[in-house]
Amino acid sequence: MIKKAVFPAAGLGTRFLPATKASPKEMLPLVDKPLIQYAVEEARDCGCEELIIITGKQKRAIEDHFDSAFELEDVLMKKGKKELLEMVRKLSHINFAYIRQRAPLGLGHAILCAKPFVNGESFAVLLSDDVIAPGSTLLPEMIKIATEKGATVIALEMVEESEVEKYGIIEGDDEGGGLYRIRGLVEKPKPKDAPSRMGVIGRYILTPDIFDILETLAPGKGGEVQLTDALNILAARRPVYGYLFEGKRYDAGDKLGFLEATVELALKDSALSAGFRKFLVGLMNNELSS
Ligand code: UTP
């Protein structure tokens, strides 16, 4: 079973400036919960017990968010606000380890920072700006495949041709049931050079030998140590699998994706949906008649 989960959160979040100038992108809220909390809850629901967050400059708020908040809890307790108290205490019993990535040298480098904590086991990696709708079976399915095959498994999504330049794109053999044996990956190719339309999304189950590769890997595209390059080397040595996800994922690190996620999650929120739906319908009617 997979007990450890790594959350790289040291990126600069340039697509969301100016909001991310002094605040972490991972703390942007979807309705009322920060992005990183969705990912942490997803990992916990799959049985991951040791959670490792890779942080960087301007990321303090992440540590504070998962810490106890004595003054707030005390006030809520005295005022008898039990539900709010439960909400703020929900994750405070979890043990987090924080590792600082000194400079944003790339996702591959961020993952390498977790090596001393991972201790030779397979582990999950969750990118919190890729939000998977709560209750999805993606991560449990990936863990099952990784455990059965004793191999690395990465999540894939079928993307539009015009979007392939935003993703790592795989070339692979269809093994049925959404599973692909990966022959190679290309980081952000031009549509004409893309070997498929299957793009890598932010969920991975990695075997620990990825660290040996990352340790000696030279910077790739954009001058960053690319996880894609390391996976390519791994796939040439032993089987690496992709699992095609057909559920809903939001790229909340991008302004449009963030807005889409906010609207859809608000519409699913029992306390908000009726009022919000009414507002949206009114807005659409006004737009259509103007
Ligand atoms: P992204 O490229 O999506 O995030 O990296 P970013 O760099 O923060 O955002 P933009 O592209 O500038 O808007 C994917 C994930 O890898 C982490 C990011 O925090 C994000 O979760 N990352 C990236 C690191 O932890 N360290 C890095 O050096 C680069």
Side-chain angles (χ1 to χ4, degrees), residues 131-280:
V131 176
I132 307 287
S136 157
T137 56
L138 173 63
L139 203 58
E141 295 283 356
M142 291 175 70
I143 291 176
K144 194 165 158 245
I145 298 164
T147 311
E148 277 168 15
K149 304 255 183 204
T152 284
V153 180
I154 61 187
L156 305 173
E157 186 181 276
M158 202 59 86
V159 299
E160 297 292 332
E161 197 180 339
S162 56
E163 300 267 287
V164 296
E165 273 182 273
K166 294 184 183 170
Y167 293 87
I169 300 291
I170 70 129
E171 182 177 10
D173 299 322
D174 189 351
E175 300 222 333
L179 196 65
Y180 290 79
R181 165 100 188 248
I182 295 179
R183 272 186 280 123
L185 303 98
V186 193
E187 181 66 11
K188 303 189 170 114
K190 297 264 175 250
K192 67 175 176 47
D193 302 322
S196 75
R197 286 201 294 111
M198 283 180 281
V200 177
I201 57 170
R203 298 292 179 277
Y204 310 79
I205 308 296
L206 299 176
T207 48
D209 46 352
I210 197 76
F211 291 125
D212 304 335
I213 300 171
L214 286 170
E215 259 163 354
T216 55
L217 193 64
K221 205 157 198 164
E224 295 189 344
V225 178
Q226 298 285 357
L227 179 62
T228 305
D229 295 340
L231 289 170
N232 243 327
I233 296 171
L234 189 65
R237 291 184 187 167
R238 68 197 201 84
V240 169
Y241 295 92
Y243 180 67
L244 190 62
F245 178 54
E246 290 181 348
K248 192 76 191 161
R249 175 199 62 107
Y250 306 96
D251 179 4
D254 170 81
K255 289 174 195 172
L256 186 60
F258 179 85
L259 290 171
E260 289 170 5
T262 301
V263 171
E264 288 212 38
L265 291 178
L267 285 173
K268 283 184 188 156
D269 184 306
S270 56
L272 292 172
S273 66
F276 191 50
R277 190 177 302 272
K278 199 169 157 203
F279 163 75
L280 288 178

Side-chain angles (χ1 to χ4, degrees), residues 8-16 25-26 54 101 103-107 110 127-129 224 253:
L12 294 176
T14 52
R15 286 172 296 155
F16 231 110
K25 168 175 74 174
E26 295 74 15
I54 311 298
Q101 187 188 18
L105 301 177
L107 175 58
L127 305 187
S128 48
D129 46 0
E224 295 189 344

